[in-house]
């Protein structure tokens, strides 16, 4: 018996990959947590300093992961990086932490924020609306990756346009 190795077909391009990173960094961070930051830090300058510090830390992490990806050019991502550089148990634990906390918690927070934003228009609790949104997008991405990517790219474009509008309004008030 001969075994053939299936080659995975790459379905997302550079634009969709960049949009995914932008969405994970920008979305709720700008539109939801800004109010909490201003309430705690009291000045826009301090908020910008915290964002800058977080951006520097994220950039350093991306550089480290880029170096690791170059050293270990195989699928598996974080698990492979940690298992090969530290210990297989570190990769295993990191995988479970990412699944249970690193991916799930931000999705829950964003879906709840969405539910809060639209609760005046919809006759449903924010939890129900947010859960419905997660189910809708999970089905969309599960049924057709490219259509899901198109929706993701459009959502990121809207976010970036809203940020540009906010910057423009803020600049006009200076």
């Amino acid at each position: 018996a001969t075994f053939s190795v299936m080659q995975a077909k790459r379905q997302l391009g550079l634009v969709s990959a960049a949009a995914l990173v932008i969405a994970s960094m920008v979305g709720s961070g700008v539109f939801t947590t800004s109010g909490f930051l201003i309430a705690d830090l009291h000045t826009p300058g301090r908020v910008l300093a915290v964002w800058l510090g977080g951006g520097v830390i994220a950039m350093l992490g991306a550089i480290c992961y880029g170096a690791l990806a170059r050293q270990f050019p195989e699928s598996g991502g974080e698990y492979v990086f940690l298992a090969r550089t530290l210990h297989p148990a570190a990769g295993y634990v990191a995988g479970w932490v990412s699944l249970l906390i690193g991916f799930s918690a931000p999705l829950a927070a964003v879906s709840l924020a969405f539910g809060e934003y639209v609760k005046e228009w919809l006759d449903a609790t924010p939890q129900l609306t947010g859960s419905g949104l997660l189910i809708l997008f999970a089905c969309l991405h599960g049924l057709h990756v490219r259509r899901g990517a198109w929706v993701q790219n459009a959502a990121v474009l809207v976010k970036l346009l809203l940020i540009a509008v906010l910057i423009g309004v803020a600049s006009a008030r200076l």
Side-chain angles (χ1 to χ4, degrees):
T2 60
F3 295 97
S4 65
V5 176
M6 286 183 52
Q7 202 62 333
K9 183 179 176 189
R10 196 174 286 212
Q11 296 188 27
L12 300 178
L14 179 63
V15 171
S16 294
L20 183 63
V21 172
I22 291 168
S24 69
M25 299 299 281
V26 171
S28 63
V30 172
F31 296 110
T32 303
T33 61
S34 299
F36 296 119
L37 285 173
I38 289 176
D40 289 342
L41 300 176
H42 307 294
T43 66
R46 289 180 183 165
V47 171
L48 291 174
V50 167
W51 276 351
L52 178 64
V56 168
I57 291 169
M59 185 67 72
L60 292 173
I63 290 169
C64 290
Y65 268 32
L68 287 167
R70 188 175 175 123
Q71 186 175 354
F72 305 111
E74 55 193 89
S75 64
E78 187 174 33
Y79 169 80
V80 170
F81 303 156
L82 294 173
R84 297 266 201 286
T85 57
L86 298 175
H87 189 274
Y92 180 79
V93 170
W96 278 103
V97 169
S98 291
L99 174 68
L100 298 175
I101 299 168
F103 299 129
S104 303
L107 285 173
V110 169
S111 66
L112 282 174
F114 174 79
E116 286 292 332
Y117 291 145
V118 300
K119 73 180 179 184
E120 300 297 323
W121 299 315
L122 302 176
D123 188 29
T125 65
Q127 294 88 349
L128 183 63
T129 306
S131 296
L133 181 72
L134 286 177
I135 291 168
L136 174 73
F137 282 126
C139 290
L140 176 66
H141 287 288
L143 292 172
H144 200 275
V145 172
R146 287 195 181 138
R147 284 193 188 122
W150 185 87
V151 170
Q152 175 73 28
N153 294 349
V156 169
L157 181 61
V158 168
K159 287 179 193 179
L160 294 176
L161 290 173
L162 286 172
I163 290 171
V165 167
L166 288 172
I167 291 171
V169 169
S171 297
R173 291 187 177 196
L174 291 178

